[in-house]
Amino acid sequence: MDPSQIGFGMGFGGNLPVSTSLMSRFEGVNPDLQKDVDAFLRGDFAGDTNQLMLSFTKALSDLQRGITVGTSSLPIRENLEAEAKVLVPVETPFRNRLPRVPGAGTAAAWRVVTSLGGGWGSSYDQPGGGSAAQMFFAETGAPGNATTAYASRSASYKLAGEIRSVTGLAQAAGMTFQDNFATERTNGIRNMMLKEEFALINGDSTATAVPFGDGTNAYAYDGVINLIATANGTPSANIQTSVGALTLAHIDAQLTRQWKQGAKGMYMLLNAQEVQSIKNLAMASTSVHRVILSDQGSATVGIRVQGYTHPITGEIVPIFASRFVPAGTMLFLADSGPQYDPVLQVDVLPTVQLPEYSMNDPIQGYVAQEIMPTAASPLVYGFIIFVMSVLKLKIATCVCKSTGVTAV
């Protein structure tokens, strides 16, 4: 701006130029014409309105002909969506199925009843019979003795988490698009849920390599694959190895073993390979119609497996496909045991004070805690997302595991 145009209040002579809106569509139009148009819009124009409209139309035509989408560096608003698209699937079917309850202390301990006393022997499907013991007795005699048998179980709470950070520059630069700090926290919690799903299935308490340890020490709890073991009370018949090609007879046998132990709310957790194998077995059956024709003559080919009819009870056993279950492994799980107690349960240590009425409600236990910037990196705003929990297999007799299954 020429100094002579700055007002007297600034210490110079002359008047300030007439201000023009930055976004005015009349940018570059004759100033006199713009004044006349402004006066016309205010109702103060005293000249020839026809001549004004002709001049205005000509100026507008020149402006429209001069600016096109091909104009260099034309500031056109692009179609920028408000959120970045997440390409990672975040389904966690096994984690969603398990009850989560508040825990306490440094470890979870519980007892399981392995026998109510029995007395009918061991040659029947009904477990807990033990040795045969006298049940009927004479008027002046007594029946045999019976004692409940207990087994102790325990599992230590483990810390699982991840550290993330957002720099001040990234936060400031991204404010026109999204709140990077808040978005990163949300993404971190979603990623932590995926990590927990992975650990609940594949966790290994003896592994020292990452992600279960630091290379020297083991920090993880056992996932359901490692928990289903004879050492934890699972009958050896329930653990089938080197199965080979999957058959419907094998599935029937495993589901029957669960029924014998009193499992309720049974479900299968499988890799996509085994889900497709069950579909292929169903399609190969002569009792299934492979092609279904609609009234319009269009065809639907194939079937989608949602459940499996239990060979004993007739109930529909849901089938869940998990991306974290290794191919060739089949997990036959249940919601509850003979007395409707949970078979599997996640104990979570609360990190905040819970109200009394919430102690019986599901608790997720995820916490996002900010980390103070350091003097060496004052503009790096970090935070940790963590959960303190442990997976408990409370009724090991009601689960089965098959490994070494090959696709059909």
Side-chain angles (χ1 to χ4, degrees), residues 358-376:
S358 70
M359 291 305 292
N360 293 324
D361 294 338
I363 175 175
Q364 299 302 315
Y366 296 104
V367 176
Q369 176 181 312
E370 295 185 10
I371 301 174
M372 291 294 294
T374 64

Side-chain angles (χ1 to χ4, degrees), residues 19-284:
S19 61
T20 303
S21 172
L22 180 63
M23 301 304 293
S24 173
R25 288 188 58 84
F26 297 103
E27 199 71 50
V29 177
N30 187 306
D32 293 332
L33 175 60
Q34 183 172 340
K35 290 179 182 179
D36 292 340
V37 172
D38 292 339
F40 175 77
L41 294 175
R42 293 195 304 269
D44 297 334
F45 182 70
D48 186 351
T49 56
N50 292 330
Q51 183 62 38
L52 175 62
M53 293 305 297
L54 288 173
S55 300
F56 170 69
T57 302
K58 181 179 182 301
L60 184 59
S61 298
D62 293 340
L63 180 64
Q64 290 175 335
R65 285 196 302 268
I67 297 181
T68 67
V69 292
T71 301
S72 177
S73 301
L74 181 65
I76 298 177
R77 178 178 175 83
E78 299 292 340
N79 182 20
L80 298 177
E81 297 189 32
E83 293 183 357
K85 300 306 175 188
V86 178
L87 301 181
V88 179
V90 292
E91 293 93 341
T92 54
F94 184 51
R95 178 194 162 277
N96 298 343
R97 186 86 178 187
L98 298 178
R100 301 172 71 88
V101 298
T106 60
W110 65 99
R111 300 289 187 273
V112 295
V113 175
T114 59
S115 174
L116 294 174
W120 54 83
S122 58
S123 59
Y124 304 94
D125 288 342
Q126 175 66 45
S131 302
Q134 182 181 352
M135 177 174 57
F136 296 94
F137 58 98
E139 180 180 356
T140 57
N145 293 326
T147 303
T148 301
Y150 295 91
S152 300
R153 299 285 186 267
S154 65
S156 300
Y157 293 105
K158 303 295 182 179
L159 280 164
E162 62 181 39
I163 291 179
R164 293 176 175 239
S165 64
V166 175
T167 65
L169 178 60
Q171 177 69 359
M175 287 306 293
T176 57
F177 184 69
Q178 66 180 12
D179 186 340
N180 284 332
F181 190 78
T183 301
E184 192 67 6
R185 280 190 301 182
T186 301
N187 290 341
I189 292 176
R190 290 174 178 169
N191 193 58
M192 194 62 225
M193 290 181 177
L194 289 173
K195 286 184 174 180
E196 188 178 32
E197 174 85 352
F198 168 71
L200 291 172
I201 296 174
N202 298 286
D204 188 346
S205 63
T206 63
T208 58
V210 294
F212 303 128
D214 60 0
T216 303
N217 302 294
Y219 295 121
Y221 52 72
D222 281 323
V224 66
I225 291 179
N226 285 316
L227 284 176
I228 301 178
T230 55
N232 291 330
T234 303
S236 58
N238 291 23
I239 303 174
Q240 297 291 312
T241 60
S242 303
V243 173
L246 180 62
T247 63
L248 297 182
H250 174 76
I251 299 176
D252 289 344
Q254 291 289 63
L255 291 175
T256 300
R257 293 183 181 101
Q258 286 185 282
W259 172 81
K260 290 180 179 179
Q261 297 293 336
K264 294 178 173 59
M266 289 170 274
Y267 61 97
M268 288 185 275
L269 190 66
L270 312 177
N271 180 272
Q273 172 181 289
E274 278 59 58
V275 175
Q276 293 182 38
S277 291
I278 296 176
K279 184 264 294 183
N280 293 337
L281 291 171
M283 291 287 288

